[in-house]
Amino acid sequence: MESLDQYMQLVSEVLPSLLRGAGITVLVTAASLAICVVAGVLVAVLRLSAWRPLRLLTAGYVELMRIFPVLTLLFLLYFGLPEFGVRMSALQASIMGLSIWGVAYLSEIYRGGIESIDHGQMEAAMALGMQRSGAMRHVVLPQSIRVVLPALVNFAIGLLKYSSVASTIGVLELMYNGRAFGQATYRGMEVMLMVAAIYLAMSLPLAMLAGRLQRHLGRHVHVAAR
Amino acid sequence: MERFITSAMEWLPYLARGLVTSIELAGVAMVLSLSLGLVLAAAIQIGGRQLRVTARTYIEITRGIPGLAMLYIVYFGLPSIGIVIQDAFWAAGLALGLTGAGYMAEIYRVGLESPDRGQHEASLAIGMTRISSLRYVILPQAIPVIMPAATNMALDMLKDTTLATVISTPELMQHALLLITFSYRPLEIYILTALLYLAAGLPLSALTHWLARRARRGRLMADFGPGRPGLRQS
Amino acid sequence: MAVDLAMGLTLAMMEGGMDPTPGQSASRPGLDVAHPSTADPDAETALLELRAIHKRFGALEVLRGIDLKVQRQEHLTIIGPSGSGKSTLLRVINFLEPPTSGRVFFRGQQVGVRRGDQRGRIDERTLTQTRARIGLVFQRFNLFPHLTAMGNVAIGPRRVLGLPRAEAEDRALRVLRRVGLEAKRDVHPDRLSGGQQQRVAIARALAMEPELMLFDEPTSALDPELVGEVTHVMRELAAEGMTMIMVTHEMAFAREVTDRVLFMDEGRIVEEGPPAQVLDNPTHPRTRAFLRAVTER
């Protein structure tokens, strides 16, 4: 290792580019997150549908995404699809790939949240005269949101980390810039440590938020016994 | 379609070799994660303050950075401070294992906390030491909970072996990429690759589901659950 | 494991009639009789003594000065409103909750304190030895779900007392027979009714051959028709001469079996005496109010 001065010199050279990359990382993450949050609801609803074929199809998709590596998915979208005439930018492919994976993952979180609420809650609501949909809206969903929120934040952290895979298909985000500058300056370790620090600066506050949410919201929920 | 099948036959052996390496890589990383994770969990449960803080810091950091970062740090970064790992395979195994250890530590923790407090109290009440309680009452109930989570972790580990391609580890993804540079047929090769990952991952996933179902049934053996005979619903 | 064996030896010694309490040490040659002990001559006659017990959970004071002596073969019932500290009191006795201040003596020895330790530090091994001599039956049974009824009852003798497997299972079978559940020995708790589970829990405690049995609202979690099978076992135990302290709401049962009733409120013993007195002719207004509320159905 070298002296602090030399290190600070490196930092001042490299940091701006790294931060620019971090901006792209945030873009990719945020775009995917937005898609996942919304589409995840749709998939969760389909997963719980009364129509069996739809249920199975959705379950199959979710299961597929459990097993399929995200990197392979990205490569498939970016390098494989052009053979069908579908061309997209690396950025688009990344967001699409992350979303395809993320929607499946998040829909399971949503489903778990809904199913974790004690059935007695639904029964009590219906005993008061509410219909299923009303009971869902006013009793079950509000409680499941409290359960889901911390998991959602953790999911966002996961997306943030997975966005680094986009570097493998050439998206100029944080990891890509880090690798490039690390090689260019022959100081891979120092640059990577900076990269790691920036990721931590983004993920740790989210992790703390998730913890806080878990503690505060975990209380006023009636979860099924075990 | 026929063209695909004939080509697939040609490609399969090479790709399968890559898959074997992927599986080996995942295995090596899991061994490291399982053991280091155990050490971390133990440090947090029974260690002194310094040990606890060190372990928690390690877990927070390794869970806060992407696996790729860890990979680059191990492979490119360590040489800067004198530690050189020649073989990309072992560098990848180390990096993946170090990251996975943090997750395993959390899994161990959740597993150990799954039996309710009354279980520990009941074992103390008949005169067991804390160690006996852990050994005969808590662990037997924790393990069915830990196992599906651990196999799920193994599945994730297999998926993460794809990251090792960036440091040219000869796993499945790497072989696929090399094959593409020769054959110029990316889509078919990626589909075949995907099928191979599915073939490897499905058994693991099925195992995880089965273990989770078993654990859930076992958990319902606890004193309370809806509709148990003779129990007043409190 | 070595710890369990050592404890098994100690307990085997005690069971074999070699009672290592200070009162007898004078008769044993070679022992330093003048060595200061943590025993108190006053406490020797009572099996259990609580002195000035205070228990605080953070800002909440749950026990505000409890003094109590329990003799061998005595049957004590504790009643009182929720939050009065009844359960906490039981749990203080076997140190599941250590008292904030005050001392607990069992068989003349301060609970959890190694003999001769002047500073009164709590030693885990000594504590576990005492716990093995005191049985605690929980409101929610706390049976071990991964073991059968036999497994639950035998695990104490096997892993705490260090008995070999065959002997432990023998003893377990005898105790299960005593509570009427020999037929269910290979059944897991999840297949047993509440009353059966609680009886197994009682058997598990009895298998340790305790000198004192504590019951923390043993029937409160049971359907009414299953209460009887548990109180039946408790009645038999009482008739056999077991020293028992029961926290319960079953007033009729308490009246039948008990020698002394304690009424607790807000962390203090408000009134105590024979059941006829406390339950039928309470002197303290709070006792009267409580009893009136309880009998109003």
Side-chain angles (χ1 to χ4, degrees), chain B residues 49-134:
Chain B
R49 190 159 178 277
Q50 267 185 330
L51 213 56
R52 268 204 317 271
V53 169
T54 312
R56 278 217 197 94
T57 312
Y58 176 90
I59 293 176
E60 286 300 305
I61 289 182
T62 55
R63 288 181 65 179
I65 64 175
L68 264 182
M70 186 64 98
L71 206 59
Y72 285 135
I73 289 176
V74 166
Y75 194 61
F76 293 118
L78 287 187
S80 323
I81 57 173
I83 306 175
V84 181
I85 303 177
Q86 302 284 32
D87 198 338
F89 179 86
W90 293 105
L94 179 62
L96 288 174
L98 287 177
T99 311
Y103 289 94
M104 276 315 297
E106 272 297 282
I107 290 175
Y108 289 135
R109 183 184 67 84
V110 170
L112 284 174
E113 290 180 2
S114 70
D116 68 67
R117 209 167 151 240
Q119 290 293 299
H120 185 58
E121 289 189 345
S123 40
L124 289 182
I126 53 175
M128 281 194 194
T129 58
R130 278 176 309 169
I131 296 179
S132 290
S133 168
L134 185 68

Side-chain angles (χ1 to χ4, degrees), chain A residues 44 48 105-117 144 147-148 223:
Chain A
L48 296 170
Y105 194 93
L106 199 54
S107 77
E108 281 294 276
I109 292 180
Y110 288 154
R111 187 171 74 95
I114 292 178
E115 288 186 352
S116 73
I117 304 300
S144 52
V147 174
V148 163
V223 175

Side-chain angles (χ1 to χ4, degrees), chain B residues 12-25:
Chain B
L12 211 50
Y14 185 57
L15 289 179
R17 272 206 302 278
L19 180 62
V20 168
T21 308
S22 296
I23 294 176
E24 288 175 346
L25 183 57

Side-chain angles (χ1 to χ4, degrees), chain C residues 147-157 165 168-174 176 181-182 184-188 200:
Chain C
L147 302 173
T148 58
M150 163 75 88
N152 266 275
V153 178
I155 192 171
R165 186 159 175 219
E169 291 191 349
D170 248 9
R171 185 191 281 207
L173 205 56
R174 264 182 285 132
L176 277 172
L181 284 174
E182 188 186 353
K184 299 283 184 183
R185 65 181 177 277
D186 292 322
V187 178
H188 282 270
V200 173

Side-chain angles (χ1 to χ4, degrees), chain A residues 122-196:
Chain A
M122 172 67 89
E123 291 178 352
M126 295 207 288
L128 287 176
M130 277 192 221
Q131 287 197 322
R132 272 206 142 227
S133 50
M136 264 294 175
R137 258 179 63 206
H138 299 291
V139 174
V140 177
L141 281 178
Q143 291 187 62
S144 52
I145 288 179
R146 286 161 171 270
V147 174
V148 163
L149 215 49
L152 190 68
V153 175
N154 278 320
F155 170 71
I157 297 175
L159 266 184
L160 180 69
K161 293 193 291 173
Y162 260 133
S163 69
S164 60
V165 180
S167 65
T168 61
I169 58 175
V171 176
L172 302 180
E173 41 74 71
L174 177 54
M175 185 64 73
Y176 185 93
N177 286 5
R179 166 95 189 247
F181 276 95
Q183 292 194 297
T185 62
Y186 291 98
R187 283 145 84 175
M189 181 67 137
E190 292 94 311
V191 176
M192 261 314 143
L193 287 179
M194 277 192 265
V195 169

Side-chain angles (χ1 to χ4, degrees), chain C residues 15-296:
Chain C
E15 278 177 297
M18 291 168 66
D19 197 345
T21 53
Q24 301 234 6
S25 60
S27 61
R28 248 189 292 174
L31 245 92
D32 185 3
V33 174
H35 186 88
S37 70
T38 50
D40 188 321
D42 263 345
E44 255 186 73
T45 48
L47 178 63
L48 176 72
E49 178 172 356
L50 305 173
R51 275 200 213 155
I53 297 292
H54 285 261
K55 178 66 186 175
R56 177 189 290 273
F57 289 106
L60 185 64
E61 204 176 357
V62 175
L63 294 175
R64 302 167 196 253
I66 303 284
D67 292 281
L68 180 64
K69 275 199 199 153
V70 180
Q71 309 296 333
R72 285 179 199 274
Q73 305 205 334
E74 204 182 343
H75 307 138
L76 207 68
T77 300
I78 305 181
I79 61 174
S82 9
S84 54
K86 327 190 283 292
S87 290
T88 312
L89 185 59
L90 279 190
R91 295 154 68 88
V92 162
I93 292 174
N94 74 348
F95 266 61
L96 276 185
E97 309 277 2
T100 313
S101 68
R103 296 194 286 173
V104 181
F105 291 89
F106 181 68
R107 302 170 91 234
Q109 283 296 320
Q110 201 176 334
V111 170
V113 177
R114 225 204 299 245
R115 203 195 349 247
D117 183 346
Q118 287 295 73
R119 279 151 59 191
R121 285 167 306 185
I122 302 297
D123 170 55
E124 196 193 4
R125 257 182 62 187
T126 321
L127 187 54
T128 54
Q129 284 168 7
T130 308
R131 285 190 182 138
R133 314 244 73 188
I134 301 177
L136 175 55
V137 176
F138 297 85
Q139 180 178 1
R140 303 205 158 204
F141 331 140
N142 287 337
L143 286 182
F144 304 136
H146 59 297
L147 302 173
T148 58
M150 163 75 88
N152 266 275
V153 178
I155 192 171
R158 184 127 188 262
R159 305 296 185 186
V160 174
L161 302 179
L163 296 182
R165 186 159 175 219
E167 213 184 309
E169 291 191 349
D170 248 9
R171 185 191 281 207
L173 205 56
R174 264 182 285 132
V175 183
L176 277 172
R177 202 174 293 140
R178 211 168 142 196
V179 303
L181 284 174
E182 188 186 353
K184 299 283 184 183
R185 65 181 177 277
D186 292 322
V187 178
H188 282 270
D190 65 324
R191 300 270 178 88
L192 298 173
S193 76
Q196 290 169 333
Q197 285 189 60
Q198 192 60 297
R199 282 190 281 154
V200 173
I202 295 176
R204 178 176 62 180
L206 287 178
M208 300 296 292
E209 300 191 346
E211 293 174 54
L212 168 66
M213 283 284 280
L214 307 173
F215 294 84
D216 188 1
E217 303 208 31
T219 56
S220 296
L222 297 177
D223 282 345
E225 70 263 19
L226 297 172
V227 167
E229 63 192 71
V230 174
T231 52
H232 176 76
V233 170
M234 290 168 69
R235 208 175 281 127
E236 281 188 345
L237 260 182
E240 285 166 19
M242 172 68 74
T243 316
M244 293 161 65
I245 304 179
M246 298 162 278
V247 171
T248 185
H249 295 307
E250 299 288 322
M251 299 300 175
F253 171 72
R255 186 169 311 179
E256 237 187 86
V257 166
T258 308
D259 303 316
R260 197 169 25 137
V261 172
L262 263 60
F263 172 66
M264 276 185 72
D265 192 14
E266 293 188 351
R268 275 185 252 264
I269 299 177
V270 170
E271 189 165 348
E272 78 181 89
Q277 178 205 313
V278 178
L279 295 178
D280 298 328
N281 285 315
T283 48
H284 207 282
R286 291 224 292 270
T287 322
R288 266 190 292 218
F290 173 73
L291 287 170
R292 219 176 317 138
V294 158
T295 49
E296 218 131 84

Side-chain angles (χ1 to χ4, degrees), chain B:
Chain B
M1 185 57 176
E2 270 150 21
R3 191 168 165 244
F4 174 63
I5 296 186
T6 34
S7 309
M9 295 305 225
E10 274 177 46
W11 297 328
L12 211 50
Y14 185 57
L15 289 179
R17 272 206 302 278
L19 180 62
V20 168
T21 308
S22 296
I23 294 176
E24 288 175 346
L25 183 57
V28 165
M30 271 312 283
V31 167
L32 179 56
S33 294
L34 285 170
S35 27
L36 183 57
L38 192 58
V39 170
L40 289 169
I44 293 179
Q45 290 278 350
I46 59 183
R49 190 159 178 277
Q50 267 185 330
L51 213 56
R52 268 204 317 271
V53 169
T54 312
R56 278 217 197 94
T57 312
Y58 176 90
I59 293 176
E60 286 300 305
I61 289 182
T62 55
R63 288 181 65 179
I65 64 175
L68 264 182
M70 186 64 98
L71 206 59
Y72 285 135
I73 289 176
V74 166
Y75 194 61
F76 293 118
L78 287 187
S80 323
I81 57 173
I83 306 175
V84 181
I85 303 177
Q86 302 284 32
D87 198 338
F89 179 86
W90 293 105
L94 179 62
L96 288 174
L98 287 177
T99 311
Y103 289 94
M104 276 315 297
E106 272 297 282
I107 290 175
Y108 289 135
R109 183 184 67 84
V110 170
L112 284 174
E113 290 180 2
S114 70
D116 68 67
R117 209 167 151 240
Q119 290 293 299
H120 185 58
E121 289 189 345
S123 40
L124 289 182
I126 53 175
M128 281 194 194
T129 58
R130 278 176 309 169
I131 296 179
S132 290
S133 168
L134 185 68
R135 203 173 140 193
Y136 300 116
V137 174
I138 303 297
L139 272 181
Q141 297 183 60
I143 288 176
V145 172
I146 290 175
M147 278 182 58
T151 55
N152 202 28
M153 176 90 240
L155 188 58
D156 283 341
M157 195 62 93
L158 182 62
K159 293 194 293 179
D160 284 345
T161 58
T162 55
L163 298 176
T165 210
V166 303
I167 57 175
S168 309
T169 313
E171 39 76 56
L172 176 51
M173 211 53 210
Q174 182 71 217
H175 278 203
L177 292 175
L178 290 174
L179 211 49
I180 288 170
T181 59
F182 285 118
S183 71
Y184 301 114
R185 286 155 68 183
L187 183 63
E188 288 155 281
I189 291 176
Y190 283 132
I191 289 180
L192 196 55
T193 310
L195 288 173
L196 281 173
Y197 274 117
L198 283 176
L202 263 171
L204 259 180
S205 182
L207 179 63
T208 306
H209 284 310
W210 182 74
L211 285 171
R213 259 202 316 269
R214 252 186 87 224
R216 253 197 308 269
R217 260 186 290 130
R219 290 274 299 277
L220 289 176
M221 289 203 305
D223 314 35
F224 279 77
R228 305 251 5 273
L231 238 59
R232 192 189 294 165
Q233 301 303 316
S234 37

